[in-house]
Every structure is written in C-alpha cells, then in structure tokens.
Amino acid sequence: INNLSMKQTYDLKPTDSHWWGEPVLQEGIDLPFTVEEYADGTQEKFPMSLVCQINCADFIQGNPDNSLAHMLPDKGIISFFANVDYFLGDMDATGEGMGEWSANSFRVLYSRDMDRLRTHKIVDEEGRDCAIPAEPLHVPQDEVEESRVLSQPTCFVDEIENYYPGYITLLQLDSSDRHGLRFYDGGCLFFFISPEDLREKKFEKAECAMFSM
C-alpha cells in the first residue's frame, strides 16, 4: 500500500471502533490469512486486511437510536477482514470478483473477552507497516464515499434484496479516492448476516459480496 505516511492520523485507542488499522483480537483467535495455492502444489499465506473494527459497548452507547446496534453483543470487539490488496492497487495480489466471496477471502471474528486482547501488527518483508492507518467510523467523507456500519445500504439495493433477502447489512465499504480503493466501476463490498445469526452471535456465518456497476 503506497503513501501510508501521507495519510492523516487520529488519536485512537486500540480497542476503539475504527476503519482499517491494526487488528485487536482475543488471545486464542488467530489472525485470518488468505491461502494461495500454486500449480506446483505449494502454498503461500497472506494476512487479510482489517477493514473495520466495532467495539460493541461503545457502538451501542453512541448509537442509541439504531435498532440494529442493540442486536449486537453487550461487549467485545467485532473485526471485519477482507482480501482487498488487489483493489488497493497491488496488481500482483489475487482476490475475488463480483458477487459472493468465498471464506478464503474474508472473515468476521468476534472477541468477547476484553481482558485478553492482543494487537497484531502486519508488516511487509522489509518490516514496513502494511495497514492503512486507523480512522474513526465517522471520518469526513467526500460525496462519493459512504462507507457505513449497521445501516441500510445506500446502493445496489435491488441486488442485495435479490441475493440476500432478509439479511442485515453489517458493513458497507465503498470505493475510496482517499485510499485508492477501487471495487471496479464504483463498486462496494458488503458484509451480511441473518437476523438469527446476529442474535446468536454467530458471526462466523456472515456473508460477503461485492457489487459494481
């Protein structure tokens, strides 16, 4: 990822809700990787990017009128990961395309024990930080970027209703000029979950899909 040092930084604690940044996971929960298999039978693992982290207690308190927020667990951290390197400009990276993404390309992890959290720092082969610096959930957005958490989707509504009827949109990640993030032609990446799985805290059953023009 280029020009990380050029981006604005914010005074955020590791456990705050935020976009991007370094993952904070409960001890015993492993950082998710994408596994790339080659023709010669070898494999290589690449860490998925954290795209968003929700501190449940803080999010509920800060969004008292959001009925979906009150379906979250009363405490803990929900972490959303996705293999988005290709869409951030790494043309050598592999990734999914339009439609439903496989479990090899995304993960939603729930860390309930706030006393046993561990920060994971992701660096490249030369030791340079690979993560986009963390940003608060309500960063001032330009008019074409409307990434949002636990809200009705603002685009591709017909596609979502067709392929994920009755599902809750946990996350909408828009293409972003600020980060050079391009999901093809004005596309978005979505994370979905059924109401039943959300109530039962079964975040491992979340779905992920990309839609584009």
Side-chain angles (χ1 to χ4, degrees), residues 5 10 12 14-15 31 41 60 64 68 75 80 86-87 96 110 117-119 134 144 149 161 180 184 186 188 197 202:
S5 62
Y10 298 87
L12 293 168
T15 56
L31 186 70
I60 294 168
L68 296 179
K75 68 174 184 177
F80 298 82
Y86 177 83
F87 302 103
E96 303 276 355
Y110 175 50
L117 296 176
R118 175 183 166 210
T119 300
V144 298
V149 176
E161 290 181 350
Y184 300 139
C188 298
D197 288 335
K202 295 181 178 179

Side-chain angles (χ1 to χ4, degrees), residues 143-163:
E143 61 183 15
V144 298
E145 186 181 347
E146 299 179 343
S147 299
R148 54 190 59 215
V149 176
L150 283 174
S151 176
Q152 294 299 320
T154 60
C155 51
F156 305 106
V157 175
D158 291 342
E159 290 87 343
I160 291 170
E161 290 181 350
N162 184 36
Y163 291 101

Side-chain angles (χ1 to χ4, degrees), residues 105-119:
S105 293
F106 81 97
R107 202 83 82 245
V108 181
L109 302 178
Y110 175 50
S111 301
R112 180 170 178 81
D113 191 343
M114 298 291 288
D115 295 326
R116 297 175 54 233
L117 296 176
R118 175 183 166 210
T119 300

Side-chain angles (χ1 to χ4, degrees), residues 162-177:
N162 184 36
Y163 291 101
Y164 296 93
Y167 274 61
I168 291 169
T169 301
L170 290 170
L171 193 73
Q172 173 184 321
L173 180 65
D174 279 31
S175 296
S176 168
D177 290 334

Side-chain angles (χ1 to χ4, degrees), residues 90-105:
D90 183 354
M91 305 311 292
D92 293 327
T94 59
E96 303 276 355
M98 294 269 288
E100 183 178 352
W101 280 23
S102 71
N104 190 47
S105 293

Side-chain angles (χ1 to χ4, degrees), residues 168-209:
I168 291 169
T169 301
L170 290 170
L171 193 73
Q172 173 184 321
L173 180 65
D174 279 31
S175 296
S176 168
D177 290 334
R178 292 183 302 110
H179 299 126
L181 179 65
R182 295 284 183 275
F183 292 119
Y184 300 139
D185 187 9
C188 298
L189 187 69
F190 297 91
F191 289 80
F192 306 106
I193 195 168
S194 72
E196 295 78 14
D197 288 335
L198 179 56
R199 280 192 292 267
E200 295 178 12
K201 307 177 184 62
K202 295 181 178 179
F203 294 100
E204 70 278 6
K205 293 191 174 183
E207 305 276 357
C208 181

